Amino acid sequence: MTASDVYGRTTRLELTDQTLREWDAVVVAADPEQGIVLDRSAFYPGGGGQPPDHGVLLWGGVQTRIAGARKADDLWLVPVADNPLPTVGTAGRGELEDERRTAIMRTHSGLHLLSGVVFRDFGALVTGGNMEPLEARMDFNLPSVPEGFREAIAAACAAEIEADRAITTTTMPRGEAFATYPDLIRTATDLLPPDLEVVRIVDIAGLDTQADAGTHVASTRSIGGLEVVKIENKGKGFRRLRIRVTG
């Protein structure tokens, strides 16, 4: 849920500039089994329920399609099968699939807005979640669903989107972060690694502040619309909300 802006041999550009879609880079590792490592990359590697980015790497007049990215000893880009592999030292240009990344950013911010509303209005914490472009689910430790709950949540989310609250990211030393934001963890279980020294924080001004390493839009209005599609009972004290991002 948190990360520094460097992982292995890669500077993670997406953590400091979430609008970036193209950048220059140099190949520092290439392996037929593991993939490609760049010195600089804006490909989100997946994690915290957010899926990885897709895109291309352009090099020497060749295009290698990237089907995803993952963290191991390095941040490895995963080429589409049978696509050409550059050699170490090759200069190239990375390009993200903008439509997918933007849809995921809107969806991820929509989930933070949803969790902020449910925590504020009903005191429930998140117990799980997952997302795809423009569709997602989020689970809460909600013992019961009051009458009119779905309509109330939908209306509250719509109001927060209309309010156009700024969404910003910062980093803080762990101790300072928890001293400043006692409710920084909005999940029922603290998922932060115990050895994590720097925490990345995503803040929806006046609504929600959470530790998070994903990508987000710049304001709640940029989410578009948020529809509560379904509420499911996932066992005693747990409810699953399925949402769709629209517009």
Side-chain angles (χ1 to χ4, degrees), residues 2-72:
T2 63
S4 69
D5 62 356
V6 176
Y7 187 89
R9 290 172 283 180
T10 302
T11 298
R12 295 185 61 187
L13 304 175
E14 83 279 10
L15 296 182
T16 53
D17 184 358
Q18 294 166 94
T19 67
L20 187 67
R21 297 294 184 268
E22 301 181 14
W23 68 96
D24 294 324
V26 175
V27 177
V28 297
D31 182 272
E33 298 297 324
Q34 298 200 75
I36 302 165
V37 178
L38 302 178
D39 66 335
R40 304 167 73 243
S41 174
F43 282 94
Y44 184 76
Q50 179 175 331
D53 289 319
H54 297 171
V56 297
L57 178 64
L58 307 174
W59 53 277
V62 176
Q63 173 180 284
T64 299
R65 289 183 295 153
I66 304 299
R70 62 180 180 84
K71 287 182 175 181

Side-chain angles (χ1 to χ4, degrees), residues 127-149:
T127 60
N130 196 40
M131 75 189 86
E132 293 297 333
L134 304 181
E135 293 186 350
R137 65 168 174 82
M138 184 159 273
D139 302 339
F140 294 92
N141 62 350
L142 194 66
S144 62
V145 177
E147 184 177 352
F149 174 78

Side-chain angles (χ1 to χ4, degrees), residues 33-208:
E33 298 297 324
Q34 298 200 75
I36 302 165
V37 178
L38 302 178
D39 66 335
R40 304 167 73 243
S41 174
F43 282 94
Y44 184 76
Q50 179 175 331
D53 289 319
H54 297 171
V56 297
L57 178 64
L58 307 174
W59 53 277
V62 176
Q63 173 180 284
T64 299
R65 289 183 295 153
I66 304 299
R70 62 180 180 84
K71 287 182 175 181
D73 55 329
D74 265 307
L75 199 161
W76 291 92
L77 306 185
V78 182
V80 171
D82 300 326
N83 271 223
L85 204 65
T87 58
V88 172
T90 299
R93 187 163 185 81
E95 295 185 4
L96 297 184
E97 184 182 305
D98 176 64
E99 183 176 352
R100 174 182 170 86
R101 160 62 84 79
T102 300
I104 290 172
M105 288 170 62
R106 291 172 60 200
T107 306
H108 198 166
S109 295
L111 285 174
H112 277 234
L113 184 146
L114 175 68
S115 66
V117 164
V118 174
F119 181 76
R120 180 193 67 192
D121 296 349
F122 297 91
L125 294 171
V126 175
T127 60
N130 196 40
M131 75 189 86
E132 293 297 333
L134 304 181
E135 293 186 350
R137 65 168 174 82
M138 184 159 273
D139 302 339
F140 294 92
N141 62 350
L142 194 66
S144 62
V145 177
E147 184 177 352
F149 174 78
R150 179 174 172 178
E151 293 75 15
I153 291 297
C157 287
E160 297 301 340
I161 289 171
E162 181 61 26
D164 201 23
R165 296 182 183 274
I167 302 175
T168 57
T169 62
T170 57
T171 58
M172 285 187 179
R174 186 184 186 115
E176 181 183 349
F178 281 96
T180 306
Y181 303 106
D183 292 325
L184 189 61
I185 303 301
R186 292 294 176 84
T187 51
T189 302
D190 185 349
L191 301 177
L192 291 184
D195 59 347
L196 188 70
E197 297 180 355
V198 177
V199 178
R200 183 170 182 265
I201 299 165
V202 174
D203 178 70
I204 302 179
L207 176 66
D208 183 72

